[in-house]
Amino acid sequence: MTKLMTPDELEAALRRIGAERYHNLHPFHRKLHGGGCTIDQVRAWALNRYCYQAIIPQKDAALMARCEDRELRREWLHRITDHDGLDGNEGGIERWLVLTDGLGFDRDYVVGRTGALPATRFATEAYLHWVTEKSLLEAVASSLTELFAPKLHEERISGMLEHYDFIDERVVAYFRKRLDQAPRDAAFALDYVRRNARTIEQQQASLRALTFKTEVLWAQLDALWLAYVEDMPAPGAWRPGEGMREVDAAA
Amino acid sequence: MTKLMTPDELEAALRRIGAERYHNLHPFHRKLHGGGCTIDQVRAWALNRYCYQAIIPQKDAALMARCEDRELRREWLHRITDHDGLDGNEGGIERWLVLTDGLGFDRDYVVGRTGALPATRFATEAYLHWVTEKSLLEAVASSLTELFAPKLHEERISGMLEHYDFIDERVVAYFRKRLDQAPRDAAFALDYVRRNARTIEQQQASLRALTFKTEVLWAQLDALWLAYVEDMPAPGAWRPGEGMREVDAAA
């Protein structure tokens, strides 16, 4: 029988979802951070993950578009500029493109997303549609995977710098920056969910929203694994050598 | 340089997409039809494919919802009743549930879709969103995978009846029925696209719509392959033994 939880019990239930379903547990991440990936597998990961980066400011705009609370909009706005950049800040998407630059990709190819796996596009677009269609509380709760991100990013930075000679400080700048940004955002969203999920239905919907978000992240790594570890890329998906800058393709 | 095609050239280009990308080419289908699947792999396929069946009448309603042409709505309507049923016709979704019954599933479990792979839900919901958001021409063009379905269904009926002792005429009724329905629907949609894709942009959009739809179908089999052939099901996805009627679980 589902019963009403205290805010602390709700937080514990949310953290359990992370402990059981966050994509730090996916074998692709173990392979990526442990040095087990070829450069082409790292390229495939960065190319596909761009789809996720690109959709974040859209989903944050979708959340703000349906939010009547000016204070919440004011608080939420920096998530868009964190990714899109503003004034002197180049933003997370630009930092991601520095990563794909470092891997030899042509920027237009990455941004065009034509080589991304269809499953990646479906998963990331599902996130945008979720935030557009569900309640504001569920939209906020779906951002709570950021609670679990810093540990993953720390592991990624040290693991990738250690294991891959094609990875340097310049290309891990995205993750360094997220070490500061994610905890602040996660703390705000967690507090919001603790205060606003006050009925059984709202609490269950918040748990479901976070579960959904872990599914969005997990599905992207599943798709990468099948395509580039099992070597079963869907028709039309990126193949090694495609979409590279000419100087790199010739190297 | 992309140029304007005659209707015959456009049809040939559409058929080439089918020849290169339709999911009859996916290794899961070769395995399924050739008798290489375990009963649990067939169950996983039927359980996940239910998500696709269930969304078809919704996407057809979405198409009709934005169609100002009464003649087109009148023509399109039977697609909904073909799946949902009406009066004496039980409909395709009911026939699909006869298939999952035959495989031992509890109906509520199948219909609830909680055991379906997240990637299946993302792909099928992407189809619904596509039809809702794109032009009417693209929505119609995305249905053209039906051009290639009858051959696949014939192969499926004979292959599955031959190879699996748990498959009988009763449970392949869905596919037998589609042998009559799909060609009529495909002929209408093809004629519509031939007549209405009159600019380069419309023709390219139609080709892109059909490509998108092949991606929706292919991604579902990719997800099945990783989860139930490579044995890497996403957290929370169906595992053998779950969701069965008690009598079958005990058998």
Side-chain angles (χ1 to χ4, degrees):
Chain A
M1 184 64 191
T2 308
K3 62 182 185 47
L4 194 66
M5 291 177 268
T6 65
D8 283 349
E9 288 168 342
L10 177 61
E11 178 174 339
L14 289 163
R15 290 187 183 278
R16 264 198 306 279
I17 291 171
E20 291 167 7
R21 291 171 178 258
Y22 189 55
H23 64 169
N24 66 316
L25 301 169
H26 196 285
F28 191 88
H29 273 157
R30 284 203 295 274
K31 196 174 169 72
L32 179 68
H33 303 161
C37 282
T38 65
I39 188 169
D40 281 324
Q41 287 167 339
V42 177
R43 283 171 172 151
W45 166 75
L47 176 71
N48 277 274
R49 169 88 184 193
Y50 175 81
C51 296
Y52 179 71
Q53 303 304 134
I55 220 146
I56 296 293
Q58 287 182 262
K59 76 92 188 164
D60 286 318
L63 187 147
M64 291 178 62
R66 34 207 298 284
C67 172
E68 295 181 358
D69 175 350
R70 185 166 69 102
E71 283 308 313
L72 181 56
R73 288 199 306 272
R74 284 165 57 94
E75 166 58 36
W76 212 263
L77 183 67
H78 74 267
R79 294 180 180 241
I80 295 182
T81 55
D82 281 353
H83 281 83
D84 281 344
L86 192 69
D87 299 334
N89 165 25
E90 77 276 39
I93 292 179
E94 174 64 25
R95 282 188 288 275
W96 196 270
L97 290 170
V98 170
L99 169 62
T100 59
D101 287 349
L103 293 166
F105 276 113
D106 179 83
R107 280 200 176 198
D108 288 345
Y109 182 78
V110 176
V111 172
R113 282 177 272 186
T114 51
L117 293 162
T120 307
R121 287 191 278 105
F122 299 154
T124 53
E125 288 165 12
Y127 188 26
L128 176 58
H129 284 119
W130 173 280
V131 170
T132 306
E133 293 169 4
K134 298 283 176 175
S135 70
L136 195 57
L137 174 64
E138 289 163 287
V140 172
S142 69
S143 77
L144 284 175
T145 45
E146 286 182 316
L147 282 172
F148 322 118
K151 191 162 158 284
L152 179 67
H153 285 164
E154 279 174 16
E155 190 182 305
R156 177 169 299 156
I157 292 167
S158 64
M160 291 184 74
L161 284 173
E162 178 185 342
H163 292 296
Y164 302 111
D165 58 11
F166 50 87
I167 297 291
D168 59 25
E169 272 297 335
R170 207 172 43 92
V171 304
V172 298
Y174 175 84
F175 305 107
R176 288 240 186 261
K177 191 75 178 173
R178 292 304 295 162
L179 289 178
D180 299 330
Q181 291 171 337
R184 178 187 55 168
D185 291 353
F188 175 84
L190 179 60
D191 180 62
Y192 183 93
V193 172
R194 284 175 59 112
R195 286 186 293 104
N196 288 280
R198 287 183 300 240
T199 68
I200 293 175
E201 291 69 26
Q202 287 169 336
Q203 293 183 342
Q204 293 300 312
S206 300
L207 296 171
R208 174 69 202 128
L210 180 55
T211 301
F212 162 81
K213 175 65 175 302
T214 63
E215 292 170 347
V216 167
L217 296 172
W218 193 277
Q220 293 174 63
L221 297 182
D222 270 1
L224 273 177
W225 189 277
L226 185 74
Y228 299 109
V229 179
E230 302 294 344
D231 198 25
M232 282 175 62
W238 178 75
R239 305 296 341 238
E242 287 174 12
M244 312 306 286
R245 289 192 307 276
E246 284 188 17
V247 54
D248 296 272
Chain B
M1 184 65 192
T2 308
K3 62 183 188 43
L4 193 67
M5 291 178 267
T6 66
D8 283 349
E9 287 168 342
L10 176 61
E11 178 175 338
L14 290 162
R15 290 187 183 277
R16 264 197 307 279
I17 291 170
E20 291 168 7
R21 292 171 178 258
Y22 190 55
H23 65 167
N24 66 315
L25 301 169
H26 196 285
F28 191 88
H29 273 155
R30 283 202 295 273
K31 194 173 170 72
L32 178 70
H33 302 160
C37 282
T38 64
I39 187 169
D40 280 324
Q41 287 167 339
V42 177
R43 283 171 172 150
W45 166 74
L47 176 70
N48 277 275
R49 170 84 185 196
Y50 175 81
C51 297
Y52 180 72
Q53 302 305 136
I55 219 145
I56 295 293
Q58 287 181 261
K59 75 92 188 165
D60 285 320
L63 187 148
M64 290 177 63
R66 34 206 299 285
C67 172
E68 295 180 358
D69 174 351
R70 185 166 69 101
E71 284 308 311
L72 180 56
R73 289 199 307 272
R74 285 164 58 93
E75 165 58 36
W76 211 263
L77 183 67
H78 75 267
R79 293 179 182 241
I80 296 182
T81 55
D82 280 353
H83 280 84
D84 281 343
L86 193 69
D87 300 334
N89 165 25
E90 77 276 38
I93 292 178
E94 173 64 25
R95 282 188 287 275
W96 196 270
L97 291 169
V98 170
L99 169 63
T100 59
D101 288 348
L103 293 166
F105 276 112
D106 179 83
R107 279 200 177 199
D108 288 345
Y109 183 79
V110 176
V111 172
R113 283 176 271 185
T114 51
L117 293 162
T120 307
R121 288 191 278 105
F122 299 154
T124 54
E125 287 164 13
Y127 188 26
L128 176 57
H129 284 120
W130 174 280
V131 170
T132 306
E133 293 168 5
K134 298 284 176 174
S135 70
L136 194 58
L137 174 65
E138 288 162 288
V140 172
S142 69
S143 77
L144 284 175
T145 45
E146 287 181 317
L147 282 171
F148 321 118
K151 190 162 159 285
L152 178 68
H153 286 163
E154 279 174 17
E155 190 182 306
R156 177 169 300 157
I157 293 167
S158 64
M160 291 185 75
L161 284 172
E162 179 185 340
H163 293 296
Y164 302 112
D165 58 10
F166 51 89
I167 297 291
D168 59 24
E169 272 297 336
R170 206 173 42 93
V171 304
V172 299
Y174 174 84
F175 306 107
R176 288 241 184 260
K177 192 73 178 177
R178 292 303 297 164
L179 289 179
D180 299 331
Q181 291 170 337
R184 178 190 52 170
D185 292 352
F188 175 84
L190 179 60
D191 181 61
Y192 183 93
V193 173
R194 285 174 58 112
R195 283 186 294 106
N196 289 279
R198 285 183 300 240
T199 68
I200 292 176
E201 291 70 26
Q202 289 169 336
Q203 292 181 343
Q204 292 300 313
S206 300
L207 296 172
R208 174 70 201 129
L210 179 56
T211 299
F212 163 80
K213 174 66 175 300
T214 63
E215 292 170 346
V216 167
L217 297 171
W218 193 277
Q220 293 174 63
L221 297 182
D222 270 1
L224 273 177
W225 189 277
L226 185 75
Y228 300 109
V229 179
E230 303 292 346
D231 199 24
M232 283 176 61
W238 179 76
R239 306 292 345 231
E242 287 174 12
M244 312 304 286
R245 288 191 307 277
E246 286 188 13
V247 54
D248 296 272

